[in-house]
Amino acid sequence: MSTSFFEDLSIGKDLLQAIQKMGFITPSPIQAEAIPFILDGRDIIGQAQTGTGKTAAFAIPIIEKIQPEKKYPQAIVLCPTRELAIQVSGEFQKLAKFKRSLKIVSLYGGQPIARQVRALQQSPQIIVGTPGRVQDLLNRNLLDLSSASMLVLDEADEMLNMGFRDAIERIFEYLPESRQAILFSATMPQSILTLSERYLQEPEYVYIEQEVRPIPQIQQHYLEVGRKVKTDVLVRLLKADQYRLSLIFCNTKWQVDSLAKRMKLAGFNVEALHGGMTQSKRNKAMASFRQGQAPILIATDIAARGIDVDNVEAVFNYDFPKDTEYYVHRIGRTGRAGKSGKAFTFVESSELIEFKNIQKRLKIEIIQHELPALA
C-alpha cells in the first residue's frame, strides 16, 4: 500500500493546505504505508528510524479523524521525554494550522502542573505528553480519557528502556476498550512485542528498512579500550587536542552522572544532560554548553535529541552505541554546517563484532586510533 501524493490520501483541504505550507509534496515511505491504516481505524506497529517522518505519519491521520465540535480529549500521544513531547506537539500545531477549533495540549514534568490544568480546562481534543505526567494527572482526576479513541506510543522502545512500562499500562486502563492503538518504535525488542500482544488488536505491521545515510566530513576513529581505563583514555584524548566544544555519549543517566563527577575531579569543566534532571537544570546545562562556559557536555542519547549546536568539534562514544541509528545520530552532532569534525568510539573486546557490523551497514571504514602517549 503506497501513494505518490498526499492528495491521493483521504485528507481534507485544510490539512492538505497545512502540509503544503510545511513544504511537503509527497509522503515519505512510513507516511504512505501508515496513514491509510490509521485512517481506516486499524491498530498498527510501525518500525522506522528517527528522521523518516514518522511524527507526521500518525499526526496527519489523527488530525483528520478528530471531530473538532466535540470538546474533550479524543487522541493521546505518549513520548519518552518532555523535549520530544514539545517537538511532537509543535508538529501537530503546524499541521492543524487551518483547523481553528482544534486544540492541542502538551503535558510533561518540569512545568507547573497548575498551568497544564488550566490548559486542559480549555477542552483540547489532542493530548501530547510524557507517561509520568499523564499518569499523575489521571490519578488526580484532572484528566479524562474515557472518550479518547486513539492512543499513540511514540518511540515505545525508549519509553520502556526508561522504565515507563507500568505507567503506560496504567494509562491504557483509563481508555475505552474500543480505542485504536498506534505504536512506533525504532527497534522491536521482546518487551515491545509483549506489550503489543496485550494491548493491540490484530495490528498491521509497517516496517521501513533503514537507509544507508551519507556521513558528512567527520574523521571517524575507534579505540579498543577496557572498561576500567575508559576515563583515563578519555582524559588523554581531551588533553591531546583542545577542542572548543566536545560531546560525550553514555548509555545511561547513572553513567552520565558518574563520568561527570570523575571528569570534574580530573580538572575539566563539564555539564551533564539526561532525562532524570529537572527541566531547569537541563536548560542551564544546555545554555552553559552552547555559550562555551562548559566546553564538554556528557549526555544520554534521548536527552541529546534536541541538541543543535554548530561548533561541536568532537564526539566521544564513551559507551558503545546501541545500534547503527544511535551511532549515526551521535556522530552527526559534529561536522555540521559544512565544517569538519572528529568522532571517537570506545569499543570493548566483547563489542568488536557488533562494531564491525555497524561499519558494514554504513559501508564505511573506521580507523583504529592510537592512544596518545601519557607525555
Side-chain angles (χ1 to χ4, degrees), residues 28-175:
S28 69
I30 188 67
Q31 293 164 4
E33 293 290 330
I35 288 174
F37 286 135
I38 299 175
L39 287 173
D40 197 36
R42 303 294 301 271
D43 286 5
I44 76 162
I45 300 173
Q47 185 175 359
Q49 306 298 327
T50 302
T52 55
K54 62 180 176 59
T55 301
F58 60 76
I60 288 172
I62 284 176
I63 291 172
E64 184 62 33
K65 294 180 70 174
I66 290 293
Q67 301 178 58
E69 69 278 4
K70 295 182 178 179
K71 307 300 183 180
Y72 55 77
Q74 298 171 48
I76 178 165
V77 180
L78 296 179
C79 304
T81 67
R82 54 179 70 88
E83 286 81 7
L84 186 59
I86 292 169
Q87 178 182 324
V88 169
S89 179
E91 190 90 350
F92 268 101
Q93 298 283 0
K94 292 176 184 176
L95 289 165
K97 180 178 178 64
F98 301 105
K99 289 183 173 288
R100 305 297 183 185
S101 56
L102 194 60
K103 294 181 180 178
I104 300 106
V105 166
S106 301
L107 305 175
Y108 49 84
Q111 185 183 69
I113 198 167
R115 184 187 304 174
Q116 295 176 357
V117 171
R118 287 195 296 271
L120 289 173
Q121 292 170 348
Q122 301 302 311
S123 304
Q125 294 93 347
I126 298 173
I127 305 292
V128 181
T130 53
R133 178 52 63 94
V134 169
Q135 184 186 18
D136 185 19
L137 290 163
L138 288 169
N139 291 342
R140 299 189 193 194
N141 294 318
L142 297 172
L143 174 62
D144 182 9
L145 295 179
S146 60
S147 297
S149 58
M150 290 174 279
L151 169 69
V152 177
L153 302 180
D154 189 19
E155 303 208 7
D157 51 353
E158 290 293 348
M159 283 194 281
L160 295 186
N161 288 339
M162 295 173 70
F164 285 130
R165 184 186 181 93
D166 289 345
I168 291 170
E169 293 185 343
R170 182 72 173 139
I171 292 167
F172 265 108
E173 295 175 6
Y174 284 90
L175 295 162

Side-chain angles (χ1 to χ4, degrees), residues 169-350:
E169 293 185 343
R170 182 72 173 139
I171 292 167
F172 265 108
E173 295 175 6
Y174 284 90
L175 295 162
E177 291 186 8
S178 58
R179 80 286 179 273
Q180 178 184 12
I182 300 157
L183 185 155
F184 277 93
S185 183
T187 60
M188 283 294 154
Q190 184 57 46
S191 57
I192 294 291
L193 300 177
T194 301
L195 188 73
S196 63
E197 288 172 2
R198 182 173 181 180
Y199 293 106
L200 275 65
Q201 302 294 322
E202 300 181 357
E204 295 287 347
Y205 182 66
V206 177
Y207 172 71
I208 303 302
E209 188 173 357
Q210 181 176 334
E211 297 180 3
V212 176
R213 301 182 182 182
I215 296 178
Q217 299 178 20
I218 302 172
Q219 299 176 31
Q220 300 172 66
H221 309 273
Y222 80 94
L223 297 94
E224 189 173 348
V225 182
R227 183 175 305 178
K228 293 182 179 180
V229 297
K230 277 186 178 182
T231 304
D232 178 57
V233 172
L234 178 63
V235 167
R236 290 200 205 179
L237 288 171
L238 288 170
K239 287 185 175 180
D241 292 288
Q242 301 295 319
Y243 299 110
R244 184 185 307 174
L245 293 178
S246 302
L247 185 54
I248 302 169
F249 282 100
C250 298
N251 289 344
T252 67
K253 56 187 179 183
W254 176 88
Q255 184 64 275
V256 167
D257 287 336
S258 176
L259 180 59
K261 289 179 182 177
R262 295 197 299 273
M263 294 303 289
K264 287 177 181 178
L265 288 173
F268 291 93
N269 188 2
V270 306
E271 288 285 357
L273 186 72
H274 59 70
M277 299 165 58
T278 63
Q279 186 63 43
S280 61
K281 288 184 177 179
R282 291 164 83 168
N283 290 342
K284 183 179 178 181
M286 273 306 305
S288 179
F289 180 61
R290 288 180 189 277
Q291 296 165 11
Q293 296 169 354
I296 300 172
L297 181 68
I298 306 172
T300 56
D301 291 281
I302 196 69
R305 298 225 168 156
I307 294 177
D308 187 15
V309 181
D310 288 339
N311 294 322
V312 175
E313 294 181 342
V315 168
F316 297 87
N317 292 317
Y318 185 86
D319 287 334
F320 189 73
K322 297 176 184 178
D323 58 27
T324 307
E325 176 70 15
Y326 281 97
Y327 179 81
V328 172
H329 179 267
R330 287 180 178 188
I331 70 169
R333 300 305 93 193
T334 186
R336 299 169 73 85
K339 300 176 183 177
S340 60
K342 292 183 179 181
F344 300 90
T345 299
F346 293 178
V347 184
E348 297 180 30
S349 57
S350 60

